[in-house]
């Protein structure tokens, strides 16, 4: 925007640059740049030079070290079509469960599992654990088994370290630790 005087003026060179027009058209009498090779590039049959070139002593040595092929005759055949059908059936079931308003028993989304495990940390009585399991449509025994091996990250507040670099950017470093519910500590 603005008027023309406020813009920088574009200046073009007055004289031709030294490299301008330096190309010279090729003449018809000029010799070719790349002469053709004297020997042919392909042969109709293998000659001794081709056979010598094809030999690879290191390759043969490695093959000899490997020895004969060992075939496992107890292997099962792969049925890719059957696996694909099972995958499609599984997807259809999963989509049907996701579309329904009521969740399936003992099946949770990742976000629901996170909420469940976080709530589990503050439980002090077995009645609360049963109620939590009912709310999330999961068996109490399965919740207890799951809680032994899966948990959500909890921060150990005593390990929080704040550092500031030379640019003034702050970073936090902390350790996570396993928190069992108070219920398991009482029992």
């Amino acid at each position: 925007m603005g008027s023309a005087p406020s813009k920088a003026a574009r200046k073009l060179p007055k004289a031709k640059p030294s490299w301008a027009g330096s190309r010279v058209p090729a003449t018809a009498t000029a010799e070719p740049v790349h002469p053709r090779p004297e020997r042919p590039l392909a042969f109709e049959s293998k000659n001794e030079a081709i056979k010598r070139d094809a030999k690879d002593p290191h390759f043969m040595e490695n093959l000899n070290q490997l020895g004969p092929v060992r075939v496992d005759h107890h292997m099962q055949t792969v049925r890719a079509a059957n696996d694909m059908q099972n995958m499609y059936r599984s997807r259809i079931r999963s989509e049907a469960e996701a579309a329904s308003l009521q969740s399936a028993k003992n099946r949770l989304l990742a976000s629901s599992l996170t909420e469940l495990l976080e709530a589990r940390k503050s439980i002090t009585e077995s009645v609360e654990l049963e109620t939590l399991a009912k709310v999330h449509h999961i068996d109490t025994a399965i919740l207890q088994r799951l809680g032994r091996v899966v948990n959500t990250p909890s921060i150990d507040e005593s390990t929080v370290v704040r550092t500031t670099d030379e640019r003034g950017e702050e970073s936090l470093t902390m350790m996570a630790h396993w928190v069992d519910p108070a219920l398991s500590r009482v029992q």
Side-chain angles (χ1 to χ4, degrees):
M1 309 281 166
S3 62
S6 67
K7 294 182 180 174
R10 186 172 153 191
K11 296 183 181 179
L12 298 173
K14 304 279 183 206
K16 282 187 174 181
S18 62
W19 51 264
S22 63
R23 292 186 187 159
V24 178
T27 62
T29 59
E31 291 190 26
V33 179
H34 302 288
R36 289 188 170 245
E38 294 298 320
R39 64 182 181 91
L41 296 177
F43 297 97
E44 289 184 17
S45 62
K46 288 185 182 180
N47 61 17
E48 195 57 38
I50 291 174
K51 289 179 182 176
R52 208 174 330 111
D53 184 46
K55 289 182 181 176
D56 188 351
H58 299 292
F59 179 65
M60 286 306 295
E61 182 180 323
N62 290 338
L63 282 178
N64 287 332
Q65 284 179 353
L66 287 174
V69 174
R70 290 177 296 277
V71 178
D72 183 9
H73 294 285
H74 296 43
M75 294 175 57
Q76 296 178 353
T77 59
V78 177
R79 291 185 169 77
N82 194 21
D83 292 343
M84 291 300 292
Q85 287 174 349
N86 289 338
M87 183 185 69
Y88 286 132
R89 284 188 203 116
S90 174
R91 280 188 184 171
I92 289 170
R93 268 195 314 270
S94 177
E95 288 174 4
E97 287 175 9
S100 72
L101 297 176
Q102 190 171 4
S103 63
K105 183 114 172 130
N106 296 329
R107 292 193 181 251
L108 296 171
L109 297 173
S111 58
S112 300
L113 178 61
T114 303
E115 291 173 15
L116 173 66
L117 293 172
E118 277 297 320
R120 182 180 161 273
K121 291 177 186 178
S122 62
I123 289 177
T124 56
E125 298 178 11
S126 60
V127 175
E128 291 177 48
L129 183 68
E130 291 169 7
T131 306
L132 183 64
K134 267 185 198 168
V135 167
H136 287 277
H137 303 289
I138 190 168
D139 293 333
T140 308
I142 291 176
L143 176 58
Q144 288 175 334
R145 236 184 357 205
L146 181 68
R148 288 187 203 119
V149 293
V150 179
N151 207 345
T152 54
S154 300
I155 299 169
D156 185 2
E157 295 295 331
S158 65
T159 63
V160 175
V161 177
R162 294 178 190 270
T163 56
T164 307
D165 63 5
E166 58 275 354
R167 293 178 291 183
E169 293 181 13
E170 185 177 284
S171 65
L172 289 172
T173 306
M174 59 202 75
M175 295 290 291
H177 66 112
W178 190 277
V179 175
D180 283 317
L183 174 69
S184 65
R185 289 179 282 205
V186 173
Q187 291 180 342

Short mmCIF file of all heavy atoms in Angstrom, two decimals, residues 2 6 23 33 47 64 77 102 106 119 135 139 144 152 163-164 170 175-176:
data_model
loop_
_atom_site.label_atom_id
_atom_site.label_comp_id
_atom_site.label_asym_id
_atom_site.label_seq_id
_atom_site.Cartn_x
_atom_site.Cartn_y
_atom_site.Cartn_z
N GLY A 2 0.31 2.34 -0.14
CA GLY A 2 1.07 3.58 -0.14
C GLY A 2 1.32 4.07 -1.54
O GLY A 2 1.06 3.39 -2.53
N SER A 6 6.99 6.26 -1.88
CA SER A 6 7.42 5.62 -0.64
C SER A 6 8.02 4.24 -0.89
O SER A 6 8.58 3.65 0.01
CB SER A 6 6.23 5.49 0.32
OG SER A 6 5.28 4.59 -0.21
N ARG A 23 27.30 -17.90 -24.96
CA ARG A 23 27.03 -19.21 -25.55
C ARG A 23 27.27 -19.15 -27.04
O ARG A 23 26.82 -18.25 -27.73
CB ARG A 23 25.60 -19.63 -25.29
CG ARG A 23 25.34 -19.90 -23.83
CD ARG A 23 23.96 -20.44 -23.67
NE ARG A 23 23.68 -20.54 -22.24
CZ ARG A 23 22.48 -20.59 -21.73
NH1 ARG A 23 21.45 -20.53 -22.52
NH2 ARG A 23 22.31 -20.70 -20.45
N VAL A 33 31.09 -35.49 -28.30
CA VAL A 33 31.81 -35.35 -27.05
C VAL A 33 32.19 -36.72 -26.48
O VAL A 33 33.28 -36.91 -26.00
CB VAL A 33 30.94 -34.57 -26.04
CG1 VAL A 33 31.65 -34.43 -24.72
CG2 VAL A 33 30.59 -33.21 -26.61
N ASN A 47 30.21 -65.32 -22.18
CA ASN A 47 31.59 -65.68 -22.50
C ASN A 47 32.35 -65.84 -21.19
O ASN A 47 31.80 -65.68 -20.10
CB ASN A 47 32.22 -64.63 -23.43
CG ASN A 47 32.28 -63.25 -22.79
OD1 ASN A 47 32.15 -63.11 -21.59
ND2 ASN A 47 32.47 -62.26 -23.63
N ASN A 64 28.08 -71.93 2.17
CA ASN A 64 28.60 -73.19 2.68
C ASN A 64 28.61 -73.21 4.21
O ASN A 64 28.38 -74.24 4.83
CB ASN A 64 30.00 -73.47 2.15
CG ASN A 64 29.97 -73.85 0.68
OD1 ASN A 64 28.98 -74.40 0.20
ND2 ASN A 64 31.04 -73.55 -0.03
N THR A 77 -0.26 -73.67 8.48
CA THR A 77 -0.47 -72.83 7.30
C THR A 77 -1.14 -71.54 7.70
O THR A 77 -1.91 -71.47 8.67
CB THR A 77 -1.36 -73.56 6.27
OG1 THR A 77 -2.61 -73.87 6.89
CG2 THR A 77 -0.72 -74.81 5.76
N GLN A 102 -25.29 -47.99 26.07
CA GLN A 102 -24.83 -48.70 27.25
C GLN A 102 -23.53 -49.42 26.93
O GLN A 102 -23.44 -50.11 25.91
CB GLN A 102 -25.88 -49.70 27.71
CG GLN A 102 -25.57 -50.29 29.05
CD GLN A 102 -26.75 -51.12 29.58
OE1 GLN A 102 -27.74 -51.28 28.90
NE2 GLN A 102 -26.61 -51.63 30.78
N ASN A 106 -17.19 -55.27 31.31
CA ASN A 106 -15.74 -55.52 31.33
C ASN A 106 -15.01 -54.98 30.12
O ASN A 106 -13.95 -55.47 29.75
CB ASN A 106 -15.44 -57.02 31.50
CG ASN A 106 -15.93 -57.54 32.82
OD1 ASN A 106 -15.96 -56.81 33.81
ND2 ASN A 106 -16.34 -58.79 32.86
N ALA A 119 -9.61 -43.13 40.48
CA ALA A 119 -10.58 -43.21 41.58
C ALA A 119 -10.23 -44.35 42.52
O ALA A 119 -10.45 -44.26 43.74
CB ALA A 119 -11.98 -43.39 41.01
N VAL A 135 -20.23 -48.89 38.71
CA VAL A 135 -20.38 -47.65 37.93
C VAL A 135 -19.71 -47.80 36.57
O VAL A 135 -20.23 -47.34 35.55
CB VAL A 135 -19.81 -46.44 38.71
CG1 VAL A 135 -19.67 -45.22 37.82
CG2 VAL A 135 -20.67 -46.14 39.92
N ASP A 139 -16.35 -56.21 36.53
CA ASP A 139 -16.40 -57.11 37.69
C ASP A 139 -15.36 -56.68 38.71
O ASP A 139 -14.25 -56.26 38.36
CB ASP A 139 -16.11 -58.55 37.26
CG ASP A 139 -17.21 -59.13 36.38
OD1 ASP A 139 -18.36 -58.67 36.50
OD2 ASP A 139 -16.90 -60.02 35.56
N GLN A 144 -9.71 -55.82 40.61
CA GLN A 144 -8.62 -56.10 41.54
C GLN A 144 -7.42 -56.71 40.82
O GLN A 144 -6.27 -56.34 41.08
CB GLN A 144 -9.10 -57.04 42.65
CG GLN A 144 -10.04 -56.35 43.63
CD GLN A 144 -10.62 -57.32 44.64
OE1 GLN A 144 -10.73 -58.51 44.40
NE2 GLN A 144 -11.01 -56.77 45.80
N THR A 152 -2.15 -45.70 36.96
CA THR A 152 -1.91 -44.41 36.30
C THR A 152 -0.71 -43.76 36.97
O THR A 152 -0.42 -44.02 38.14
CB THR A 152 -3.14 -43.49 36.42
OG1 THR A 152 -3.51 -43.38 37.79
CG2 THR A 152 -4.30 -44.04 35.62
N THR A 163 14.27 -26.36 37.15
CA THR A 163 15.52 -25.80 36.65
C THR A 163 15.21 -24.72 35.64
O THR A 163 14.21 -24.79 34.92
CB THR A 163 16.39 -26.89 35.98
OG1 THR A 163 15.64 -27.52 34.96
CG2 THR A 163 16.85 -27.93 36.99
N THR A 164 16.06 -23.70 35.61
CA THR A 164 15.92 -22.61 34.66
C THR A 164 17.21 -22.53 33.85
O THR A 164 18.30 -22.46 34.43
CB THR A 164 15.68 -21.27 35.39
OG1 THR A 164 14.57 -21.44 36.28
CG2 THR A 164 15.36 -20.16 34.42
N GLU A 170 11.93 -22.47 32.04
CA GLU A 170 11.87 -23.33 33.22
C GLU A 170 11.45 -24.74 32.80
O GLU A 170 10.58 -24.91 31.96
CB GLU A 170 10.86 -22.76 34.21
CG GLU A 170 10.81 -23.51 35.52
CD GLU A 170 9.83 -22.88 36.50
OE1 GLU A 170 10.17 -21.84 37.07
OE2 GLU A 170 8.74 -23.43 36.65
N MET A 175 9.80 -37.70 39.50
CA MET A 175 9.73 -39.16 39.44
C MET A 175 8.28 -39.59 39.64
O MET A 175 7.56 -39.03 40.46
CB MET A 175 10.59 -39.78 40.54
CG MET A 175 12.07 -39.52 40.40
SD MET A 175 12.81 -40.39 39.03
CE MET A 175 12.71 -42.05 39.60
N ALA A 176 7.88 -40.60 38.89
CA ALA A 176 6.57 -41.19 39.08
C ALA A 176 6.72 -42.39 40.00
O ALA A 176 7.78 -43.01 40.07
CB ALA A 176 6.00 -41.63 37.74
#
